[in-house]
């Protein structure tokens, strides 16, 4: 099977990029022994135009730009040209990541068998709040594409449910969740230090870190020895630091920047509890990784988060935006060692099902199914 996958991403190191880039690479590095895989991504200044990583061929196309907005606009044109030309190549299967902000019109442009992968979700209201008037328009373009797709992959139950609204009689939707690196995140013995951990992109709208700072500030009287470690980088970092200063807790909050690999695993394995305060998520990979380290996860009961955290079983979920309830959950987890043990042990068992090997197996199986179903099926 010759696979061409088009995804908007600046992939200069897919193993540490996280999100959609990481998933794409981890799946295909497990398939290249049996199939030929080419991934088309956006180019970036100073980066190579073509490279092979772990057997996966990458083509970085479009005009290299530093600004994400211009880069997305340019790559949108490029990816659609790639899809148009794919029908004349030796490609057997065209795979496209579907996003409102890099709209791909592959269903109209190519006659090849196609699979759409939906790795994130945003509704019109949220898109307007985050991107202004352009947000809902971008969502409409995405929705039009979804209605034309015959085969779709959803990476979480939340996205699977959303995609159900676009299901036509002929549409097949397959739920294939993210995996995680079980070798790095395998639990290696009881280790617990007095800090809460938050890890991920520092972004203002969806990640809820402003809510976490407010909740953490309310725990200081009950938990004076508990620190808060924030790992990651993003556009809201300066604003978050200002918020920490305004709450008078700068001495108790540590920003450690971007971490990966063993350093990331060590932070998770040594925290008392993992804080996952997102207002909305597409999946919640970091929460699953924390659960694999036998750490209870504290989050809000919102779409995506509830997919990755089993309330009362692997963590505690509180009502959306309820900062006081979140603070109480933080205190409860710290003061109740038996609760931490119970949630941690169940979390490790829950996380064990989400491996990259299993994700790749399911995705390969679906690809082969698509080729078999299509009239005049192609040889794998």
């Amino acid at each position: 099977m010759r696979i061409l996958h088009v995804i908007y991403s600046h992939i200069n190191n897919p193993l540490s990029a996280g999100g959609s880039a990481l998933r794409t690479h981890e799946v295909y590095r497990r398939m290249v022994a049996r199939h030929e895989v080419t991934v088309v991504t956006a180019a970036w200044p100073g980066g190579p135009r073509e490279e092979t990583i772990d057997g996966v061929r990458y083509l970085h196309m479009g005009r290299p730009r530093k600004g994400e907005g211009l880069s997305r606009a340019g790559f949108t044109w490029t990816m659609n040209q790639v899809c148009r030309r794919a029908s004349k190549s030796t490609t057997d299967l065209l795979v496209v990541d579907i996003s409102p902000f890099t709209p791909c019109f592959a269903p109209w442009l190519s006659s090849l068998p196609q699979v759409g992968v939906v790795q994130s979700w945003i509704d019109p209201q949220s898109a307007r709040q985050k991107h202004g008037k352009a947000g809902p328009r971008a969502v409409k373009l995405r929705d039009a594409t979804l209605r034309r797709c015959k085969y779709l992959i959803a990476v979480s139950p939340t996205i699977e449910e959303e995609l159900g609204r676009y299901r036509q009689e002929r549409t097949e939707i397959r739920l294939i969740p993210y995996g995680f690196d079980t070798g790095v995140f395998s639990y290696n013995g009881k280790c617990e230090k007095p800090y809460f951990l938050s890890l991920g992109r520092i972004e203002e709208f969806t990640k809820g870190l402003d809510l976490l700072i407010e909740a953490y500030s309310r725990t200081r009287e009950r938990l004076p020895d508990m620190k808060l470690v924030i790992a990651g980088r993003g556009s809201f970092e300066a604003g978050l630091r200002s918020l920490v200063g305004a709450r008078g807790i700068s001495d108790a909050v540590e920003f450690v920047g971007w971490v990966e690999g063993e350093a990331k695993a060590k932070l998770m394995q040594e925290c008392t509890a993992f804080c996952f305060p997102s207002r909305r998520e597409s999946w919640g990979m970091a929460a699953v990784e924390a659960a694999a380290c036998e750490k209870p996860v504290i989050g809000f009961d919102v779409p995506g988060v509830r997919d990755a955290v089993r309330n009362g079983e692997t963590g505690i979920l509180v009502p959306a935006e309820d900062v006081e309830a979140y603070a109480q959950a933080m205190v409860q987890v710290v003061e109740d060692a038996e609760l931490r043990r119970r949630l941690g042990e169940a979390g490790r068992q829950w996380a064990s099902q989400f491996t990259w090997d299993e994700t790749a197996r399911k995705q390969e199986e679906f690809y082969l199914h698509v080729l078999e179903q299509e009239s005049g099926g192609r040889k794998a």
Side-chain angles (χ1 to χ4, degrees), residues 46-57:
R49 284 296 188 166
E50 181 175 347
E51 60 184 330
T52 299
I53 307 174
D54 296 331
V56 182
R57 181 188 182 211

Side-chain angles (χ1 to χ4, degrees), residues 59-74:
L59 300 179
H60 305 297
M61 303 184 69
R63 184 176 176 182
R65 297 181 183 273
K66 291 183 179 180
E68 183 176 358
L70 290 174
S71 177
R72 282 184 179 273

Side-chain angles (χ1 to χ4, degrees), residues 29-195:
R29 68 187 294 202
R30 289 162 169 80
M31 292 172 58
V32 291
R34 298 175 297 281
H35 309 288
E36 181 182 310
V37 181
T38 300
V39 179
V40 176
T41 79
W44 67 93
R49 284 296 188 166
E50 181 175 347
E51 60 184 330
T52 299
I53 307 174
D54 296 331
V56 182
R57 181 188 182 211
Y58 284 95
L59 300 179
H60 305 297
M61 303 184 69
R63 184 176 176 182
R65 297 181 183 273
K66 291 183 179 180
E68 183 176 358
L70 290 174
S71 177
R72 282 184 179 273
F75 186 66
T76 293
W77 185 89
T78 299
M79 69 190 296
N80 284 295
Q81 297 308 307
V82 169
C83 292
R84 184 191 300 275
R85 294 193 297 265
S87 299
K88 299 179 180 180
S89 70
T90 58
T91 300
D92 295 312
L93 182 69
L94 179 60
V95 184
V96 179
D97 272 38
I98 298 176
S99 164
F101 305 105
T102 44
C104 184
F105 305 109
W108 291 273
L109 298 174
S110 177
S111 59
L112 286 171
Q114 298 175 28
V115 173
V117 183
V118 185
Q119 303 207 50
S120 62
W121 191 263
I122 190 168
D123 57 61
Q125 181 179 356
S126 299
R128 179 179 292 277
Q129 291 174 333
K130 189 174 182 180
H131 301 282
K133 292 181 179 180
R137 294 170 185 165
V139 169
K140 285 185 177 180
L141 286 176
R142 177 203 64 193
D143 293 352
T145 302
L146 289 173
R147 292 187 179 94
R148 295 278 298 194
C149 290
K150 186 174 179 180
Y151 303 99
L152 291 166
I153 291 175
V155 305
S156 73
T158 290
I159 293 178
E160 182 185 31
E161 181 178 352
E162 293 286 359
L163 291 179
R165 297 189 293 112
Y166 303 92
R167 187 191 298 271
Q168 308 292 322
E169 184 178 351
R170 64 191 180 98
T171 307
E172 289 191 49
I173 302 172
R174 190 70 58 92
L175 173 61
I176 307 177
Y178 274 78
F180 72 97
D181 187 343
T182 55
V184 172
F185 291 98
S186 293
Y187 183 65
N188 62 357
K190 196 66 177 177
C191 187
E192 190 174 89
K193 294 183 179 179
Y195 66 87

Side-chain angles (χ1 to χ4, degrees), residues 96-352:
V96 179
D97 272 38
I98 298 176
S99 164
F101 305 105
T102 44
C104 184
F105 305 109
W108 291 273
L109 298 174
S110 177
S111 59
L112 286 171
Q114 298 175 28
V115 173
V117 183
V118 185
Q119 303 207 50
S120 62
W121 191 263
I122 190 168
D123 57 61
Q125 181 179 356
S126 299
R128 179 179 292 277
Q129 291 174 333
K130 189 174 182 180
H131 301 282
K133 292 181 179 180
R137 294 170 185 165
V139 169
K140 285 185 177 180
L141 286 176
R142 177 203 64 193
D143 293 352
T145 302
L146 289 173
R147 292 187 179 94
R148 295 278 298 194
C149 290
K150 186 174 179 180
Y151 303 99
L152 291 166
I153 291 175
V155 305
S156 73
T158 290
I159 293 178
E160 182 185 31
E161 181 178 352
E162 293 286 359
L163 291 179
R165 297 189 293 112
Y166 303 92
R167 187 191 298 271
Q168 308 292 322
E169 184 178 351
R170 64 191 180 98
T171 307
E172 289 191 49
I173 302 172
R174 190 70 58 92
L175 173 61
I176 307 177
Y178 274 78
F180 72 97
D181 187 343
T182 55
V184 172
F185 291 98
S186 293
Y187 183 65
N188 62 357
K190 196 66 177 177
C191 187
E192 190 174 89
K193 294 183 179 179
Y195 66 87
F196 297 106
L197 175 64
S198 170
L199 189 151
R201 190 172 72 255
I202 301 179
E203 190 263 354
E204 181 175 12
F205 181 73
T206 58
K207 297 302 181 181
L209 292 171
D210 55 327
L211 303 176
L212 174 59
I213 295 303
E214 180 61 37
Y216 174 69
S217 68
R218 298 186 186 191
T219 70
R220 299 299 294 139
E221 185 175 344
R222 290 277 296 272
L223 307 173
D225 297 326
M226 287 293 296
K227 304 293 185 180
L228 173 61
V229 175
I230 297 176
R233 289 199 177 94
S235 59
F236 187 51
E237 184 171 346
L240 192 64
R241 287 178 181 271
S242 295
L243 183 59
V244 169
R247 292 292 179 269
I249 53 176
S250 296
D251 60 332
V253 179
E254 181 181 4
F255 290 83
V256 298
W258 181 262
V259 294
E260 57 189 73
E262 292 184 2
K264 175 180 173 181
K266 187 173 186 292
L267 277 176
M268 285 190 168
Q269 290 167 349
E270 293 184 350
C271 71
T272 297
F274 186 76
C275 294
F276 197 59
S278 297
R279 289 181 168 91
R280 185 182 181 94
E281 282 286 339
S282 297
W283 167 227
M285 185 175 177
V288 176
E289 291 171 341
C293 296
E294 287 202 12
K295 300 301 176 179
V297 182
I298 305 169
F300 292 108
D301 190 5
V302 295
V305 175
R306 69 173 70 104
D307 294 338
V309 182
R310 318 304 286 180
N311 188 27
E313 180 182 342
T314 69
I316 298 176
L317 299 180
V318 301
E321 305 275 339
D322 191 336
V323 172
E324 181 58 33
Y326 200 98
Q328 291 175 5
M330 295 171 79
V331 172
Q332 180 185 7
V333 165
V334 172
E335 293 185 341
D336 190 338
E338 174 58 25
L339 175 65
R340 292 199 305 279
R341 183 199 64 77
R342 178 171 59 80
L343 296 177
E345 290 180 357
R348 184 185 183 191
Q349 182 176 359
W350 156 254
S352 65

